[in-house]
Amino acid sequence: MTLLKEPDFGTPAVAGEAAVSLEVDGHPVTVPAGTSVMRASALAGIDVPKLCATDSLDAFGSCRLCLVEIDGKPGTPASCTTPVTDGMRVRTQTPRLEKLRQGIMELYISDHPLDCLTCSANGDCELQDMSGVVGLRQVRYGYEGSNHLDAPTDSSNPYFDFESSKCIVCSRCVRACDEVQGTFALTIDGRGFDSKVSAGGMSFMDSECVSCGACVQACPTATLQEKSVVSLGMPTRSVITTCAYCGVGCSFKAELRGDQLVRMVPYKDGGANEGHSCVKGRFAFGYATHPDRVLSPMIRESITDEWREVDWDTAISYTATKFQEIQERYGIGAIGGITSSRTTNEEVYVVQKMVRAAFGNNNVDTCARVCHSPTGYGLKQTFGTSAGTQDFRSVAQADVIVVIGANPTDGHPVFASRMKRRLREGAKLIVIDPRRIDLVRSPHIEAQHHLQLAPGTNVAVINAMAHVAVTEGLTDQSFVDDRCEGFDEWAAFIARDENSPEALEPVTGVPSAELRAAARLYATARNAAIYYGLGVTEHSQGSTMVMGMANLAMATGNIGRDGVGVNPLRGQNNVQGSCDMGSFPHELAGYRHVSDDAVRSIFESVWGRPIQPEPGLRIPNMFNAAIDGSFRAMFIQGEDFAQSDPNTQHVTAALTAMDLVVIQDLFLNETSKFAHVFLPGTSFLEKDGTFTNAERRINRVRPVMPPATGKHEWQVACDIAQAMGYPMHYDHPREIMAEIAAVTPTFAGVSFEKLDKLGSIQWPCNDNAPEGTPIMHVDAFVRGKGKFVPTAFVPTSERSTRKFPLILTTGRILSQYNVGAQTRRTANVAWHHEDVLEIHPHDAEVRGINDGDQVTLSSRVGETLLRAILSDRLPVGVVYTTFHHPITGANVVTTENSDWATNCPEYKVTAVQVGLRTPATPAAEPGMAAIPVTISD
Ligand code: SF4
Ligand code: SF4
Ligand code: SF4
Ligand code: FES
């Protein structure tokens, strides 16, 4: 395995159709019109020397090293900024060009510390390379005059240094921050000799920088360099793999030196990210080798006992025996298992198979229950498949982008950068969110409409938008007539006065005129796309809202081509995959109901075991049954229920009531306090398999190092099943994928071999689409006709009251991830070391709360402590927090309310009260989930 160096063609590819033919140093080449001479030369196999150009950025033309001669053109134009023309004859290497380039390099080198042998970029420096390429043999100018050799180094960022004495002011970093990331944190200050890169006149850490690493990636010298490279040296080999954080699913080159991971470099050929990254995937991988990792299995008889380390055989046989004893005593339905959206498709598949074939029941559910289960339900009802409609690339064709209940710059940052690029190009933006997220106004972007609705009124807003489309004649009737069913009934419902923006304004808080304008903008766009997140799904009407968005998209013909669609931004890296793999109690892999005899028989013939035709228990049902005493044991793969699920007291009561709780995870966590068996899991760096991202893109996860635990996670489920008497064995995860493909029509064409060949595949992949399906429902919906479903608005029962007059809504921030188990064990804590409560200054003032005060946050189910931050991002009456830190225990206050169709918890609406913490209020114990209290409303 060697270090993979991707080619750099100097300027971006051009999509133009017209072909232009030219000759470079006598070599013919044909390229799309608009291509630069530099790129055409590179495609002809001739690399023109360059410093300020790189193919992820638009040409800039500042270094002048890429000069060429062109027949019939005077002078020596820069090849990076000169477009090709038909019949052009280019010379890249002549005595005149040599001399000019040497002169340019001489100037650069005369103001550069020539410490190449001890420089961290030695061997990976374009300045060094170009000196060699242009044949620089002497530098006539000494260091006597003015220079920048004493310029300071900024080490404030935890992950990279800015050694400004090495800067050649090529501006690649500034342009990467602008064009690729879209943060505009850097500028070139000063002019001429005084020009220097500046992070707004302050340190990187204090600046607007979000630590995405794009500037580090773009820098041709050691000026912007990963600290890990400075301390460990240049990597020598790389492995292509996939980020383990969010549902964007970015591809990375894991670059190693020996067995040590030095850095993660975003992979240019990654279909989801095309060479970009965020701070988490790029830098926050240290948790994988953190000393807190549990590497040996542990058991204990009682949760009050100390943990006892045991070998794998003992742990497996203990677990299997206990499961069997419980089933013998309480029945086969007394146990169940939970799959994790943080594990691979193959690992999820074997866990649900273990439950169905070895446990003999359908008591399997997934952590996706608490985030995107309404997406699965709503899109299946309307479109026929439980997944988003587009690939990420599609956003580049959208003219109107609607972001509902999502905060992409924090939650899905790499996709947000793609979206922001399109917005800078002129697409219009509608944000529907109670909170003023960054996208509403950020550099060079301003939303046309921010519909700042009251939490819990999504359905009212989407119905009102559809009302405008229907009653103002803005629907796409030919699309509806050709491709959909149920329109007339739905249109009659939606046209009722009760669904008008005016009638709903008192409920939603959204001015009717603004809502009408937003609806018209969406409905009349050439291409309008909806992107949404947990602010849509985590509501009592989560599924209704998903169907409401699908209705609106169908009614306006915004389905089935580039630039449109209904697109869930998935939270965890493999939340799509965990749902695809049959993790729900009512569905087998590929979203097929367990009651379908034909479907069951496919699995039964491959698995050799009968499958129960009745759906099993969902997570909340398991907890309720545990408290009732009929559900006694649970296998939990990578899910920290005691921190991430709502109504923590109820969850912990259920966990305490069980006879056996088996956890498979990287670290001891809040839930493991209630566990009897701890089976160490593997990090993404050790896994071998696939993740499926929010675009249905199946990406390979390749092992960078062997499992630190001595066992792959998929082997553990197999071993437990085996020990319970069900033979389940694979030699390699590719065999698991082969089985998935054999039993799942949408995966029929997927194999590790094909993934290695194509890089990634978007399902469905089968005989009809052998290389996958980037855009769904192109000619027809998966269910045949798209189905309109009336979506009556039913207000949540969770309302503000005299006792709990505020509404709490929750979200996430860029640097932390979910319950923080990974990111809290990295230097990302530098940005977010605690969860805080955002409260409107008016609400704070009436409670005597100042910025930074400790406050109590209480609901009818519990109370916790937080620091308050005054913020006018929220309307009066709404407060906001994140749930990344266990000490906060934000879910102590969230209630048991859930989506009517899927039981997805209503995290986004909780009636609360906030009060100044008095000296008498006991402090939360570190690591404990705050103070459970019982309060009756
Ligand atoms: S790390 Fe990213 S956000 Fe920060 S300056 Fe560099 S490109 Fe800009
Ligand atoms: S920091 Fe690097 S990329 Fe930025 S101007 Fe200097 S040399 Fe160029
Ligand atoms: S956007 Fe998501 S998948 Fe991409 S690097 Fe960041 S956390 Fe990883
Ligand atoms: S590479 Fe063309 S001007 Fe710098």
Side-chain angles (χ1 to χ4, degrees), residues 162-191:
F162 174 56
E163 197 177 346
S164 62
S165 64
K166 294 187 169 167
C167 181
I168 58 171
V169 201
C170 64
S171 180
R172 274 162 65 161
C173 53
V174 178
R175 289 179 286 136
C177 193
D178 297 356
E179 294 172 27
V180 179
Q181 166 57 23
T183 292
F184 297 82
L186 303 178
T187 51
I188 301 284
D189 273 356
R191 284 171 171 268

Side-chain angles (χ1 to χ4, degrees), residues 524-586:
T524 55
R526 188 175 56 105
N527 288 329
I530 295 174
Y531 293 89
Y532 71 94
L534 303 182
V536 157
T537 55
E538 291 177 344
H539 285 276
S540 60
Q541 279 201 294
S543 293
T544 315
M545 178 61 182
V546 173
M547 294 188 288
M549 295 183 301
N551 290 337
L552 180 62
M554 287 189 291
T556 52
N558 280 307
I559 290 291
R561 61 180 188 279
D562 263 332
V564 299
V566 179
N567 304 287
L569 294 172
R570 301 285 192 155
Q572 308 199 61
N573 50 340
N574 200 32
V575 67
Q576 179 70 54
S578 74
C579 299
D580 300 342
M581 292 298 104
S583 292
F584 289 125
H586 65 294

Side-chain angles (χ1 to χ4, degrees), residues 454-457 506-507 795-809 843 847 858-860 876-879 895 897 906 908-914 937:
T457 63
V507 176
T796 170
S797 60
E798 186 70 11
R799 312 231 174 108
S800 52
T801 61
R802 192 179 47 77
K803 200 163 189 174
F804 300 108
L806 303 171
I807 293 293
L808 170 73
T809 189
D843 291 325
R847 289 167 176 78
S858 50
S859 74
R860 64 186 158 81
V876 172
V878 179
V879 291
T895 70
N897 285 4
E906 189 183 37
K908 302 294 181 186
V909 190
T910 308
V912 293
Q913 178 57 294
V914 177
D937 192 7

Side-chain angles (χ1 to χ4, degrees), residues 150-377:
D150 294 328
T153 295
D154 174 356
S155 298
S156 61
N157 186 286
Y159 295 118
F160 59 84
D161 290 338
F162 174 56
E163 197 177 346
S164 62
S165 64
K166 294 187 169 167
C167 181
I168 58 171
V169 201
C170 64
S171 180
R172 274 162 65 161
C173 53
V174 178
R175 289 179 286 136
C177 193
D178 297 356
E179 294 172 27
V180 179
Q181 166 57 23
T183 292
F184 297 82
L186 303 178
T187 51
I188 301 284
D189 273 356
R191 284 171 171 268
F193 178 81
D194 293 326
S195 304
K196 61 172 194 220
V197 171
S198 163
M202 56 191 97
S203 73
F204 270 76
M205 201 55 191
D206 293 331
S207 74
E208 295 294 309
C209 168
V210 293
S211 212
C212 72
C215 55
V216 181
Q217 175 91 340
C219 182
T221 65
T223 314
L224 282 160
Q225 182 72 285
E226 295 94 344
K227 284 184 192 320
S228 58
V229 172
V230 175
S231 62
L232 299 172
M234 269 297 153
T236 52
R237 66 189 180 94
S238 46
V239 179
I240 311 293
T241 190
T242 305
C243 178
Y245 283 112
C246 85
V248 177
C250 297
S251 297
F252 280 89
K253 293 183 289 180
E255 294 193 344
L256 299 100
R257 187 172 181 81
D259 286 335
Q260 187 153 32
L261 180 59
V262 177
R263 65 181 173 187
M264 298 289 283
V265 178
Y267 185 43
K268 281 202 278 201
D269 280 346
N273 56 322
E274 296 181 346
H276 191 35
S277 63
C278 83
V279 60
K280 295 190 285 287
R282 179 72 152 93
F283 297 117
F285 52 84
Y287 72 89
T289 47
H290 194 279
D292 284 356
R293 276 275 304 270
V294 178
L295 300 177
S296 303
M298 301 190 297
I299 58 178
R300 58 182 177 182
E301 288 295 327
S302 152
I303 61 169
T304 54
D305 292 346
E306 292 293 313
W307 283 110
R308 189 161 52 89
E309 274 189 19
V310 293
D311 60 27
W312 274 110
D313 288 347
T314 307
I316 300 282
S317 91
Y318 181 88
T319 305
T321 306
K322 285 271 181 190
F323 275 142
Q324 282 174 316
E325 283 172 2
I326 290 166
Q327 283 192 306
E328 274 158 29
R329 190 145 172 225
Y330 299 100
I332 63 160
I335 70 173
I338 307 299
T339 69
S340 171
S341 300
R342 308 270 260 282
T343 60
T344 62
N345 287 318
E346 295 72 16
E347 289 164 338
V348 169
Y349 180 84
V350 292
V351 168
Q352 62 87 35
K353 181 175 173 181
M354 170 184 81
V355 171
R356 293 197 155 101
F359 293 5
N361 61 45
N362 285 316
N363 291 339
V364 61
D365 208 349
T366 173
C367 50
R369 167 76 54 210
V370 300
C371 62
H372 265 290
S373 47
T375 289
Y377 180 87

Side-chain angles (χ1 to χ4, degrees), residues 82-140:
T82 307
V84 294
T85 54
D86 218 25
M88 191 181 240
R89 290 157 68 93
V90 180
R91 281 181 306 285
T92 70
Q93 196 66 20
T94 67
R96 176 165 69 146
L97 294 172
E98 273 165 35
K99 196 151 182 279
L100 285 168
R101 288 182 190 142
Q102 285 172 0
I104 292 164
M105 283 308 295
E106 221 180 333
L107 288 171
Y108 276 118
I109 295 301
S110 66
D111 191 8
H112 198 81
L114 293 179
D115 57 356
C116 291
L117 288 182
T118 52
C119 176
S120 62
N122 190 12
D124 186 31
C125 170
E126 293 181 40
L127 189 70
Q128 198 180 47
D129 294 348
M130 289 307 119
S131 298
V133 164
V134 305
L136 185 68
R137 297 292 172 258
Q138 61 164 354
V139 178
R140 285 166 292 169

